[in-house]
Amino acid sequence: MNQVTVFRSAGIPRKIRNIFVTAFLGIGLLLIVVGVITESIQSKRIEESQPVDAVITRIEYGRGKDDSTRVQVGFVYEGDYQRVWLNFYSSNMRQGDPITVYYNPLTPDRVYVDNHFLIILFLALGGVFVLIGLVWLIVGASKGHSKKLLQTGEPLYAEVMGVRLDTNYRVNGRNPFRIDARYRDPESGQEVLFQSEALWFDPGPYLFEPSVRVYCKPGNYRRYYMDVSRITDAYREATAQNTGVY
């Protein structure tokens, strides 16, 4: 029994892929920049302040989604007892707990906590977005290399098996079509199944030949590009004739 191997083509259109890459890289870098700037500002504030042993004297929990929880601390500085609201809250804070805060007498209404949770959150989220963007970028580069096979690949003719609607992929409520084709290696007898890139029209009426040309990297059927240029050209010509636009 002959082995059947299925190789699938990447299906994300380049324009959409570029939008994803730009968006994820942009958001990721922005989050990282915000994290770095926040860390710099916090470090500068702490350097300009003095550590003080304080006690959490009051916690006001927000009652609505627009109300934030506030934490008040009390401490003695140079003989004077101070009560100041923090710019930070953590769920493990309890009234009466000791806490180290940083106090600057030049800004007596503010104290700071040496906490890096928000900064780490910005950097982590930014890193995830950048990583996803880089993955999309690599996928796009791989797609570009596939099209280069038009010049460097070994051409072969694969038998058209049919056209199907790709229900696993959707953009703006639409599913693309794909052409499935098969090829039998004359030496090994291995049957290889290929699929076209995503086509946003039904290519069935424009399949005038029983086979399609596929360009493969010599000795590697996984690296291939199905040439559907004749089919897309026939579709554009028919569309132009129907609309009167040439």
Side-chain angles (χ1 to χ4, degrees):
M1 185 175 183
N2 294 325
Q3 179 183 3
V4 178
T5 306
V6 181
F7 295 132
R8 302 194 179 278
S9 173
I12 308 297
R14 185 171 64 177
K15 289 183 179 180
I16 297 176
R17 185 169 54 244
N18 290 342
I19 292 174
F20 273 106
V21 170
T22 303
F24 275 90
L25 288 179
I27 294 174
L29 292 175
L30 178 61
L31 290 172
I32 291 175
V33 170
V34 170
V36 171
I37 293 176
T38 304
E39 169 68 17
S40 177
I41 294 174
Q42 177 172 298
S43 298
K44 184 178 179 181
R45 286 173 174 172
I46 289 178
E47 288 177 1
E48 295 174 346
S49 305
Q50 299 179 18
V52 177
D53 292 330
V55 176
I56 298 176
T57 59
R58 186 177 181 181
I59 300 179
E60 289 187 356
Y61 296 96
R63 297 182 179 180
K65 62 180 182 180
D66 297 329
D67 295 333
S68 59
T69 299
R70 301 199 306 165
V71 178
Q72 187 184 66
V73 296
F75 57 91
V76 177
Y77 182 79
E78 294 185 350
D80 295 328
Y81 186 75
Q82 308 282 345
R83 288 180 183 267
V84 184
W85 292 100
L86 284 179
N87 63 338
F88 170 77
Y89 167 74
S90 175
S91 59
N92 59 2
M93 287 181 170
R94 299 291 184 271
Q95 186 171 335
D97 287 352
I99 185 173
T100 299
V101 299
Y102 291 82
Y103 177 74
N104 187 342
L106 298 178
T107 55
D109 58 335
R110 295 182 182 180
V111 291
Y112 305 98
V113 177
D114 189 10
N115 185 280
H116 302 276
F117 172 77
L118 187 61
I119 298 165
I120 293 173
L121 180 63
F122 275 117
L123 295 179
L125 288 176
V128 170
F129 273 86
V130 169
L131 180 62
I132 294 175
L134 290 176
V135 170
W136 280 95
L137 189 63
I138 293 172
V139 170
S142 175
K143 184 66 176 178
H145 290 319
S146 296
K147 290 191 175 182
K148 288 182 180 179
L149 292 172
L150 283 169
Q151 289 78 37
T152 62
E154 179 180 343
L156 56 87
Y157 287 91
E159 178 188 359
V160 174
M161 298 176 60
V163 175
R164 61 182 170 83
L165 193 66
D166 188 352
T167 57
N168 295 321
Y169 178 49
R170 179 186 296 267
V171 176
N172 294 330
R174 296 180 57 205
N175 299 101
F177 291 88
R178 294 188 187 275
I179 300 172
D180 291 325
R182 64 183 175 186
Y183 172 78
R184 189 179 301 278
D185 188 298
E187 296 182 0
S188 65
Q190 177 188 14
E191 186 175 282
V192 184
L193 304 183
F194 300 110
Q195 71 172 8
S196 71
E197 61 187 68
L199 300 172
W200 297 98
F201 64 93
D202 184 0
Y206 310 101
L207 285 169
F208 304 126
E209 299 177 359
S211 61
V212 291
R213 185 178 295 177
V214 179
Y215 293 85
C216 296
K217 183 178 180 180
N220 186 2
Y221 288 126
R222 294 183 180 275
R223 294 290 303 276
Y224 75 92
Y225 178 73
M226 184 183 293
D227 184 8
V228 293
S229 58
R230 292 184 179 180
I231 299 169
T232 55
D233 288 345
Y235 167 74
R236 293 192 185 100
E237 183 178 352
T239 302
Q241 290 177 351
N242 291 334
T243 60
V245 179
Y246 293 90

Coordinates of all heavy atoms in Angstrom, one line a residue, residues 134-201:
L134 N 7.0 38.4 16.0 CA 8.2 37.8 15.3 C 7.8 36.5 14.7 O 8.3 36.1 13.6 CB 9.3 37.6 16.3 CG 10.0 38.9 16.8 CD1 11.0 38.6 17.9 CD2 10.6 39.6 15.7
V135 N 6.9 35.7 15.3 CA 6.5 34.4 14.8 C 5.8 34.7 13.4 O 6.0 34.0 12.4 CB 5.6 33.7 15.7 CG1 4.9 32.5 15.0 CG2 6.4 33.2 16.9
W136 N 4.9 35.7 13.4 CA 4.2 36.0 12.2 C 5.2 36.5 11.1 O 5.0 36.2 9.9 CB 3.1 37.1 12.5 CG 1.9 36.6 13.1 CD1 1.5 36.5 14.4 CD2 0.8 36.0 12.4 NE1 0.3 36.0 14.5 CE2 -0.2 35.6 13.3 CE3 0.5 35.8 11.0 CZ2 -1.4 35.1 13.0 CZ3 -0.7 35.2 10.7 CH2 -1.7 34.8 11.7
L137 N 6.2 37.2 11.6 CA 7.2 37.7 10.6 C 8.0 36.6 10.0 O 8.2 36.5 8.8 CB 8.1 38.7 11.3 CG 9.1 39.4 10.5 CD1 8.4 40.4 9.5 CD2 10.1 40.2 11.3
I138 N 8.3 35.6 10.8 CA 9.0 34.4 10.3 C 8.1 33.6 9.3 O 8.6 33.1 8.3 CB 9.5 33.5 11.5 CG1 10.5 34.3 12.3 CG2 10.0 32.2 11.0 CD1 10.9 33.6 13.6
V139 N 6.8 33.5 9.7 CA 5.9 32.8 8.8 C 5.8 33.5 7.5 O 5.8 32.9 6.4 CB 4.5 32.7 9.4 CG1 3.5 32.2 8.4 CG2 4.5 31.8 10.6
G140 N 5.8 34.9 7.5 CA 5.7 35.6 6.3 C 7.0 35.5 5.4 O 6.9 35.3 4.2
A141 N 8.2 35.4 6.1 CA 9.4 35.2 5.4 C 9.4 33.8 4.7 O 9.9 33.6 3.6 CB 10.6 35.4 6.3
S142 N 8.9 32.8 5.5 CA 8.8 31.5 4.9 C 7.9 31.4 3.7 O 8.2 30.8 2.7 CB 8.3 30.5 6.0 OG 8.1 29.2 5.5
K143 N 6.8 32.2 3.7 CA 5.9 32.3 2.6 C 6.6 32.9 1.4 O 6.5 32.5 0.2 CB 4.7 33.1 3.0 CG 3.6 33.2 1.9 CD 3.0 31.8 1.6 CE 1.9 31.9 0.5 NZ 1.3 30.6 0.2
G144 N 7.4 33.9 1.7 CA 8.2 34.6 0.6 C 9.2 33.6 0.0 O 9.4 33.6 -1.3
H145 N 9.8 32.8 0.8 CA 10.8 31.8 0.3 C 10.0 30.8 -0.6 O 10.6 30.3 -1.6 CB 11.5 31.1 1.4 CG 12.4 32.0 2.2 ND1 13.3 32.8 1.5 CD2 12.7 32.1 3.5 CE1 14.0 33.5 2.4 NE2 13.7 33.0 3.6
S146 N 8.8 30.4 -0.2 CA 8.0 29.5 -1.0 C 7.8 30.0 -2.4 O 7.9 29.3 -3.4 CB 6.7 29.2 -0.3 OG 6.8 28.6 0.9
K147 N 7.5 31.3 -2.5 CA 7.2 31.9 -3.9 C 8.5 32.0 -4.7 O 8.5 32.0 -5.9 CB 6.6 33.3 -3.7 CG 5.1 33.2 -3.3 CD 4.4 34.5 -3.4 CE 3.0 34.4 -3.0 NZ 2.2 35.7 -3.2
K148 N 9.7 32.0 -4.0 CA 10.9 32.0 -4.7 C 11.2 30.7 -5.4 O 12.0 30.6 -6.4 CB 12.1 32.3 -3.8 CG 12.1 33.7 -3.3 CD 13.3 34.0 -2.4 CE 13.4 35.4 -1.9 NZ 14.5 35.6 -0.9
L149 N 10.4 29.7 -5.0 CA 10.5 28.4 -5.7 C 10.1 28.4 -7.1 O 10.4 27.5 -7.9 CB 9.7 27.3 -4.9 CG 10.3 26.9 -3.5 CD1 9.3 26.0 -2.8 CD2 11.6 26.3 -3.6
L150 N 9.4 29.5 -7.5 CA 9.0 29.7 -8.9 C 10.2 29.8 -9.8 O 10.2 29.4 -10.9 CB 8.1 30.9 -9.1 CG 6.7 30.8 -8.6 CD1 6.0 32.2 -8.6 CD2 5.9 29.9 -9.6
Q151 N 11.3 30.3 -9.2 CA 12.6 30.4 -10.0 C 13.5 29.3 -9.7 O 14.3 28.9 -10.5 CB 13.2 31.8 -9.7 CG 12.5 33.0 -10.2 CD 11.3 33.4 -9.4 OE1 11.4 33.3 -8.2 NE2 10.3 33.9 -10.0
T152 N 13.5 28.8 -8.4 CA 14.5 27.8 -8.1 C 14.0 26.4 -7.9 O 14.8 25.5 -7.8 CB 15.2 28.3 -6.7 OG1 14.2 28.3 -5.7 CG2 15.8 29.7 -6.9
G153 N 12.7 26.2 -7.8 CA 12.2 24.9 -7.6 C 12.1 24.0 -8.8 O 12.2 24.4 -9.9
E154 N 11.9 22.7 -8.5 CA 11.7 21.7 -9.6 C 10.3 21.6 -9.9 O 9.5 21.2 -9.1 CB 12.3 20.4 -9.1 CG 12.2 19.3 -10.1 CD 12.7 18.0 -9.6 OE1 13.5 18.0 -8.6 OE2 12.4 16.9 -10.1
P155 N 9.9 21.9 -11.2 CA 8.4 21.8 -11.5 C 7.9 20.4 -11.7 O 8.6 19.5 -12.2 CB 8.4 22.6 -12.8 CG 9.7 22.4 -13.4 CD 10.7 22.3 -12.3
L156 N 6.7 20.2 -11.2 CA 6.0 18.9 -11.5 C 4.6 19.2 -11.6 O 4.1 20.3 -11.3 CB 6.3 17.9 -10.3 CG 5.9 18.4 -8.9 CD1 4.4 18.1 -8.6 CD2 6.8 17.7 -7.9
Y157 N 3.9 18.3 -12.2 CA 2.4 18.4 -12.5 C 1.6 17.5 -11.6 O 1.8 16.3 -11.6 CB 2.1 18.2 -14.0 CG 2.6 19.3 -14.9 CD1 3.8 19.3 -15.4 CD2 1.8 20.4 -15.1 CE1 4.3 20.3 -16.2 CE2 2.2 21.4 -15.9 CZ 3.5 21.4 -16.5 OH 3.9 22.4 -17.3
A158 N 0.8 18.1 -10.8 CA 0.0 17.3 -9.8 C -1.5 17.3 -10.3 O -2.0 18.3 -10.8 CB 0.0 18.0 -8.4
E159 N -2.1 16.2 -10.2 CA -3.5 16.0 -10.6 C -4.4 16.7 -9.7 O -4.4 16.6 -8.5 CB -3.8 14.5 -10.6 CG -5.3 14.2 -11.1 CD -5.6 12.7 -10.9 OE1 -4.7 11.9 -10.5 OE2 -6.8 12.4 -11.1
V160 N -5.3 17.5 -10.3 CA -6.3 18.2 -9.5 C -7.4 17.3 -9.0 O -8.0 16.5 -9.7 CB -7.0 19.3 -10.3 CG1 -8.1 20.0 -9.5 CG2 -6.0 20.4 -10.8
M161 N -7.5 17.3 -7.7 CA -8.5 16.4 -7.0 C -9.8 17.1 -6.8 O -10.9 16.4 -6.7 CB -8.0 15.9 -5.7 CG -6.7 15.1 -5.8 SD -6.1 14.6 -4.2 CE -7.4 13.7 -3.5
G162 N -9.8 18.4 -6.7 CA -11.0 19.1 -6.5 C -10.8 20.5 -5.8 O -9.7 20.8 -5.5
V163 N -11.9 21.1 -5.5 CA -11.9 22.4 -4.9 C -12.7 22.3 -3.6 O -13.8 21.7 -3.6 CB -12.5 23.5 -5.8 CG1 -12.6 24.9 -5.0 CG2 -11.6 23.7 -7.0
R164 N -12.3 22.9 -2.5 CA -13.0 22.8 -1.3 C -13.0 24.2 -0.6 O -12.1 25.0 -0.8 CB -12.4 21.8 -0.3 CG -11.0 22.0 0.1 CD -10.4 20.9 0.9 NE -9.0 21.1 1.1 CZ -8.4 21.9 2.0 NH1 -9.2 22.6 2.8 NH2 -7.1 22.0 2.1
L165 N -14.0 24.4 0.3 CA -14.1 25.6 1.1 C -13.4 25.3 2.4 O -13.6 24.3 3.1 CB -15.5 25.9 1.4 CG -15.8 27.3 1.9 CD1 -15.5 28.4 0.9 CD2 -17.3 27.4 2.3
D166 N -12.4 26.1 2.7 CA -11.6 26.0 3.9 C -12.4 26.6 5.1 O -12.4 27.8 5.4 CB -10.2 26.7 3.8 CG -9.3 26.4 5.0 OD1 -9.8 25.8 6.0 OD2 -8.1 26.7 4.9
T167 N -13.1 25.7 5.8 CA -13.9 26.2 7.0 C -13.1 26.4 8.2 O -13.6 26.9 9.2 CB -15.0 25.1 7.3 OG1 -14.4 23.9 7.5 CG2 -16.0 25.0 6.1
N168 N -11.8 26.1 8.2 CA -10.9 26.3 9.4 C -10.4 27.8 9.4 O -9.7 28.1 10.3 CB -9.8 25.3 9.4 CG -10.3 23.9 9.5 OD1 -11.2 23.7 10.3 ND2 -9.7 23.0 8.8
Y169 N -10.6 28.5 8.3 CA -10.0 29.8 8.2 C -11.1 30.8 7.8 O -11.8 30.5 6.8 CB -8.8 29.8 7.3 CG -8.2 31.1 7.0 CD1 -7.8 31.9 8.1 CD2 -7.9 31.6 5.7 CE1 -7.2 33.1 7.9 CE2 -7.3 32.8 5.5 CZ -6.9 33.6 6.6 OH -6.3 34.8 6.4
R170 N -11.2 31.9 8.4 CA -12.3 32.9 8.1 C -11.8 34.3 8.3 O -11.1 34.6 9.3 CB -13.5 32.7 9.0 CG -14.7 33.6 8.8 CD -15.7 33.4 9.9 NE -16.3 32.0 9.8 CZ -17.4 31.8 9.1 NH1 -18.1 32.7 8.4 NH2 -17.9 30.5 9.0
V171 N -12.1 35.2 7.4 CA -11.8 36.6 7.4 C -13.0 37.4 7.0 O -13.6 37.2 6.0 CB -10.6 37.0 6.5 CG1 -10.3 38.5 6.5 CG2 -9.3 36.2 6.9
N172 N -13.4 38.3 7.9 CA -14.6 39.1 7.7 C -15.8 38.3 7.3 O -16.6 38.6 6.4 CB -14.4 40.1 6.6 CG -13.3 41.2 7.0 OD1 -13.2 41.5 8.2 ND2 -12.6 41.7 6.0
G173 N -16.0 37.1 8.0 CA -17.1 36.3 7.8 C -17.0 35.4 6.5 O -18.0 34.7 6.2
R174 N -15.9 35.4 5.8 CA -15.8 34.6 4.6 C -14.7 33.6 4.8 O -13.7 33.7 5.5 CB -15.3 35.5 3.4 CG -16.4 36.6 3.0 CD -15.8 37.4 1.9 NE -15.5 36.6 0.7 CZ -14.6 36.9 -0.2 NH1 -13.9 38.0 -0.1 NH2 -14.4 36.1 -1.2
N175 N -15.0 32.4 4.1 CA -14.0 31.3 4.1 C -13.4 31.3 2.7 O -14.1 31.4 1.7 CB -14.7 30.0 4.4 CG -15.3 30.0 5.8 OD1 -16.5 30.1 5.9 ND2 -14.4 29.8 6.8
P176 N -12.1 31.0 2.6 CA -11.4 30.9 1.3 C -11.6 29.5 0.7 O -11.9 28.6 1.4 CB -10.0 31.2 1.6 CG -9.8 30.7 3.0 CD -11.1 30.9 3.7
F177 N -11.3 29.5 -0.6 CA -11.3 28.2 -1.3 C -9.8 27.7 -1.4 O -8.9 28.5 -1.4 CB -11.9 28.3 -2.7 CG -13.4 28.6 -2.7 CD1 -13.9 29.9 -2.7 CD2 -14.3 27.5 -2.8 CE1 -15.2 30.1 -2.7 CE2 -15.6 27.7 -2.9 CZ -16.1 29.0 -2.8
R178 N -9.7 26.4 -1.6 CA -8.4 25.8 -1.8 C -8.5 24.7 -2.9 O -9.5 24.0 -3.0 CB -7.8 25.2 -0.6 CG -7.4 26.3 0.5 CD -6.7 25.6 1.6 NE -6.5 26.6 2.8 CZ -5.5 27.4 2.9 NH1 -4.6 27.5 1.9 NH2 -5.4 28.2 3.9
I179 N -7.4 24.6 -3.7 CA -7.4 23.6 -4.7 C -6.5 22.4 -4.1 O -5.4 22.7 -3.6 CB -6.7 24.1 -6.0 CG1 -7.6 25.2 -6.6 CG2 -6.6 22.9 -7.0 CD1 -6.9 25.9 -7.7
D180 N -7.0 21.2 -4.1 CA -6.3 20.0 -3.7 C -5.8 19.3 -4.9 O -6.5 19.1 -5.9 CB -7.1 19.1 -2.9 CG -7.5 19.7 -1.5 OD1 -6.6 20.4 -0.9 OD2 -8.6 19.5 -1.0
A181 N -4.5 18.9 -4.9 CA -3.9 18.1 -6.0 C -3.0 17.0 -5.4 O -2.5 17.1 -4.3 CB -3.1 19.1 -6.9
R182 N -2.8 16.0 -6.2 CA -1.9 14.9 -5.8 C -0.9 14.6 -6.8 O -1.1 14.8 -8.0 CB -2.8 13.7 -5.5 CG -3.5 13.1 -6.6 CD -4.4 11.9 -6.2 NE -5.2 11.4 -7.3 CZ -6.1 10.5 -7.2 NH1 -6.3 9.9 -6.0 NH2 -6.8 10.0 -8.2
Y183 N 0.2 14.0 -6.3 CA 1.3 13.7 -7.2 C 1.9 12.4 -6.7 O 2.1 12.2 -5.5 CB 2.4 14.8 -7.2 CG 3.6 14.4 -8.0 CD1 3.7 14.5 -9.4 CD2 4.8 14.1 -7.3 CE1 4.9 14.1 -10.0 CE2 5.9 13.7 -7.9 CZ 6.0 13.8 -9.3 OH 7.1 13.5 -10.0
R184 N 2.2 11.5 -7.6 CA 2.9 10.2 -7.3 C 4.3 10.2 -7.7 O 4.6 10.4 -8.9 CB 2.1 9.0 -7.9 CG 2.6 7.7 -7.4 CD 1.9 6.5 -8.0 NE 0.4 6.6 -7.8 CZ -0.2 6.2 -6.6 NH1 0.6 5.7 -5.7 NH2 -1.5 6.3 -6.5
D185 N 5.2 10.1 -6.7 CA 6.6 10.0 -7.0 C 6.9 8.8 -7.9 O 6.6 7.7 -7.5 CB 7.4 10.0 -5.7 CG 8.9 10.1 -5.9 OD1 9.5 9.3 -6.6 OD2 9.5 11.1 -5.4
P186 N 7.5 9.0 -9.1 CA 7.7 7.9 -10.0 C 8.7 6.8 -9.5 O 8.7 5.7 -9.9 CB 8.2 8.5 -11.3 CG 8.8 9.8 -10.8 CD 8.0 10.3 -9.7
E187 N 9.6 7.3 -8.6 CA 10.6 6.3 -8.1 C 10.2 5.6 -6.8 O 10.3 4.4 -6.8 CB 11.9 7.1 -7.8 CG 12.5 7.7 -9.0 CD 13.9 8.5 -8.7 OE1 14.3 8.4 -7.5 OE2 14.5 9.0 -9.6
S188 N 9.7 6.3 -5.8 CA 9.3 5.7 -4.6 C 7.8 5.2 -4.6 O 7.4 4.4 -3.7 CB 9.5 6.6 -3.4 OG 8.6 7.8 -3.5
G189 N 7.0 5.7 -5.5 CA 5.6 5.4 -5.5 C 4.8 6.2 -4.4 O 3.6 6.0 -4.3
Q190 N 5.5 7.0 -3.7 CA 4.8 7.8 -2.6 C 3.8 8.8 -3.3 O 4.1 9.5 -4.2 CB 5.9 8.6 -1.8 CG 5.3 9.5 -0.8 CD 6.3 10.4 -0.1 OE1 7.4 10.6 -0.6 NE2 5.9 11.0 1.0
E191 N 2.6 8.8 -2.7 CA 1.6 9.8 -3.2 C 1.6 11.0 -2.2 O 1.5 10.9 -1.0 CB 0.2 9.1 -3.2 CG -0.9 10.0 -3.8 CD -2.2 9.3 -3.9 OE1 -2.4 8.5 -4.8 OE2 -3.1 9.6 -3.0
V192 N 1.8 12.1 -2.9 CA 1.9 13.4 -2.1 C 0.7 14.3 -2.4 O 0.3 14.4 -3.6 CB 3.2 14.1 -2.5 CG1 3.3 15.4 -1.6 CG2 4.4 13.2 -2.3
L193 N 0.1 14.8 -1.4 CA -1.1 15.7 -1.6 C -0.7 17.1 -1.3 O -0.1 17.4 -0.2 CB -2.2 15.3 -0.6 CG -2.7 13.8 -0.7 CD1 -3.9 13.6 0.2 CD2 -3.1 13.5 -2.2
F194 N -1.0 18.0 -2.2 CA -0.7 19.4 -2.1 C -2.0 20.2 -2.0 O -3.0 19.8 -2.4 CB 0.1 20.0 -3.2 CG 1.4 19.3 -3.5 CD1 1.6 18.4 -4.5 CD2 2.5 19.5 -2.6 CE1 2.8 17.8 -4.7 CE2 3.7 18.8 -2.8 CZ 3.9 18.0 -3.8
Q195 N -1.9 21.4 -1.4 CA -3.0 22.3 -1.4 C -2.5 23.7 -1.8 O -1.4 24.1 -1.5 CB -3.8 22.4 -0.1 CG -3.0 23.1 1.0 CD -3.8 23.3 2.3 OE1 -4.9 22.8 2.4 NE2 -3.3 24.0 3.2
S196 N -3.4 24.5 -2.4 CA -3.1 25.8 -2.9 C -3.1 26.8 -1.7 O -3.6 26.5 -0.6 CB -4.0 26.3 -4.0 OG -5.3 26.5 -3.4
E197 N -2.7 28.0 -2.0 CA -2.9 29.1 -1.0 C -4.3 29.4 -1.0 O -5.1 29.0 -1.8 CB -2.0 30.3 -1.5 CG -2.5 30.8 -2.8 CD -1.5 31.9 -3.3 OE1 -0.4 31.6 -3.6 OE2 -2.0 33.1 -3.4
A198 N -4.7 30.3 0.0 CA -6.1 30.7 0.1 C -6.5 31.5 -1.1 O -5.9 32.5 -1.4 CB -6.3 31.5 1.4
L199 N -7.7 31.1 -1.7 CA -8.2 31.8 -2.9 C -9.6 32.4 -2.5 O -10.4 31.6 -2.0 CB -8.3 30.9 -4.1 CG -7.0 30.3 -4.6 CD1 -7.3 29.2 -5.6 CD2 -6.1 31.3 -5.1
W200 N -9.8 33.7 -2.7 CA -11.0 34.3 -2.2 C -12.0 34.4 -3.4 O -12.8 35.3 -3.5 CB -10.7 35.7 -1.7 CG -9.8 35.6 -0.5 CD1 -8.5 35.7 -0.4 CD2 -10.2 35.2 0.8 NE1 -8.0 35.5 0.9 CE2 -9.1 35.1 1.7 CE3 -11.5 34.9 1.4 CZ2 -9.1 34.8 3.0 CZ3 -11.5 34.6 2.8 CH2 -10.4 34.6 3.5
F201 N -12.0 33.4 -4.2 CA -13.0 33.2 -5.2 C -13.1 31.7 -5.5 O -12.1 31.0 -5.2 CB -12.7 34.0 -6.5 CG -11.4 33.5 -7.2 CD1 -11.5 32.6 -8.2 CD2 -10.2 34.1 -6.8 CE1 -10.3 32.1 -8.8 CE2 -9.0 33.6 -7.4 CZ -9.1 32.7 -8.4

